[in-house]
Amino acid sequence: MRIDRLNIAVALLLTVAGFSACSADDADVQPCADKGNVVSLTSTLADTRAASDPQTTQLNTAVEVGVFGISGGTAVSNGSNARYGVKADGSLTAKSGTMEWPSAGSISLYAYAPFQSGWTWSGTNSFSVAADQTTADGYLKSDLLYGTPASNPVSQTETAVPLTFRHLMAKMTIKVVKSDDDDTDLTKASLTVSGTKTATTLTPQTGTLGEATGDAADIKVAATLGTEAKACAVLVPQQIAAGTELVKMVVGDRLLTARIATAVTLVSGKAYTFSFNIVKSELLLGQVTIADWATGDDLGMSNAIDETANVESSLDGEATEPAHARGH
């Protein structure tokens, strides 16, 4: 029994010594356990200066992110469409298991938002903008983002790997003002974007966005109403054919519509401002101003434009008023 007790005492001493060695200065040479094996992530959004946008320099905290961690052509542990939440400071928190570095120590990271169940790294994954963007939820679900590190692959590190996201959709801002002698009550108006296809695809491996698909559909948008009306929508990049009825505005029992006379191409990451005037109860659409979404400024009717589109307007008194909403 004395010998057994002595052996136990020696074992305990060795165990304590082992713990002491782990806390010594050379602990990184002979670690007791894996250190820094968790892949930590943080995010920023390419600068969007329009203060009214729900996502400016940071991802909105209501959005969830999907992340692929790839090493040697296959996903690392918990790296296949991993689900992450977003904090106010842009840091990402794992919601579907913690992604881990492989033994080789480097991975390639590909991320997108909002999160979509069932997406694959190399597949052409289907995505659609919401037909109802009258709420922040509908808008954010439509604002497809894509993010990667500054360079791939990324070497193993204990610090958070920064992912920079960019907008893949096109943004359309509608501004409506009326002439002094027009009696249209814009506080009772509702706006709809019409004539655009709402579906596309994304391949995370390459960041490639597919063509716009499906039938053209109406998209309800929330409007800030007063002496003027302003609304915005997120649209799939696409070419809109000449003659398309692009915008509808309902005031009471009247429907005012605007058609484009020449084709317009909505480009990924671009922001478009369509300025309207109501003159004698007609909705007149002027030049289309275009800027990178990264700068996001409303250029109004200034001469600093990249492209212009000739337009025509029409008035139709037979209409059913779409859902009215305020916001954005």
Side-chain angles (χ1 to χ4, degrees):
M1 291 295 294
R2 292 179 180 177
I3 296 175
D4 291 340
R5 289 174 181 173
L6 179 62
N7 289 339
I8 293 172
V10 171
L12 290 173
L13 287 173
L14 290 174
T15 301
V16 172
F19 278 116
S20 299
C22 289
S23 60
D25 292 338
D26 63 350
D28 58 338
V29 178
Q30 293 181 328
C32 295
D34 292 336
K35 293 179 59 179
N37 199 41
V38 173
V39 180
S40 298
L41 302 171
T42 188
S43 64
T44 57
L45 182 60
D47 184 21
T48 304
R49 299 177 188 172
S52 60
D53 198 293
Q55 299 194 100
T56 53
T57 57
Q58 293 287 5
L59 276 67
N60 194 291
T61 55
V63 170
E64 291 184 327
V65 177
V67 183
F68 295 93
I70 306 299
S71 179
T74 59
V76 299
S77 177
N78 294 318
S80 181
N81 200 25
R83 191 170 191 164
Y84 283 80
V86 181
K87 290 186 176 181
D89 63 358
S91 59
L92 303 184
T93 56
K95 288 192 169 185
S96 59
T98 303
M99 190 184 303
E100 298 179 357
W101 295 96
S103 57
S106 65
I107 57 176
S108 294
L109 294 166
Y110 308 89
Y112 70 92
F115 176 83
Q116 307 290 310
S117 178
W119 274 27
T120 61
W121 168 57
S122 59
T124 52
N125 305 285
S126 298
F127 179 82
S128 297
V129 298
D132 185 350
Q133 296 184 25
T134 58
T135 64
D137 181 64
Y139 183 94
L140 291 170
K141 285 181 177 178
S142 305
D143 187 9
L144 182 60
L145 308 175
Y146 179 72
T148 60
S151 62
N152 270 324
V154 179
S155 297
Q156 183 169 352
T157 176
E158 292 184 31
T159 60
V161 178
L163 302 174
T164 301
F165 288 80
R166 58 186 173 87
H167 298 281
L168 291 183
M169 299 293 96
K171 180 180 178 180
M172 178 178 178
T173 298
I174 304 166
K175 293 181 65 177
V176 180
V177 298
K178 63 179 182 177
S179 61
D180 293 337
D181 59 352
D182 190 273
D183 61 358
T184 302
D185 186 358
L186 291 179
T187 64
K188 297 180 180 179
S190 62
L191 294 167
T192 300
V193 177
S194 60
T196 63
K197 298 177 181 180
T198 59
T200 185
T201 60
L202 175 64
T203 303
Q205 180 180 6
T206 59
T208 303
L209 196 66
E211 297 291 331
T213 58
D215 296 329
D218 286 352
I219 296 176
K220 298 177 182 179
V221 294
T224 301
L225 305 174
T227 56
E228 67 175 28
K230 184 176 181 180
C232 62
V234 178
L235 307 175
V236 174
Q238 62 193 279
Q239 185 176 66
I240 304 174
T244 298
E245 183 180 87
L246 187 60
V247 174
K248 302 174 185 177
M249 187 175 79
V250 173
V251 183
D253 60 354
R254 292 185 298 149
L255 171 64
L256 286 73
T257 66
R259 299 176 182 272
I260 55 174
T262 58
V264 173
T265 300
L266 302 180
V267 178
S268 172
K270 293 284 187 178
Y272 298 76
T273 299
F274 291 77
S275 296
F276 298 82
N277 292 295
I278 302 177
V279 180
K280 296 180 180 180
S281 297
E282 283 195 89
L283 186 61
L284 304 175
L285 176 59
Q287 291 179 322
V288 180
T289 63
I290 305 172
D292 289 337
W293 201 339
T295 54
D297 296 327
D298 178 6
L299 301 181
M301 294 301 293
S302 72
N303 292 326
I305 59 176
D306 299 305
E307 301 176 30
T308 61
N310 296 322
V311 298
E312 60 187 9
S313 63
S314 63
L315 179 63
D316 184 351
E318 300 296 327
T320 300
E321 183 173 356
H324 176 74
R326 298 172 184 265
H328 280 348

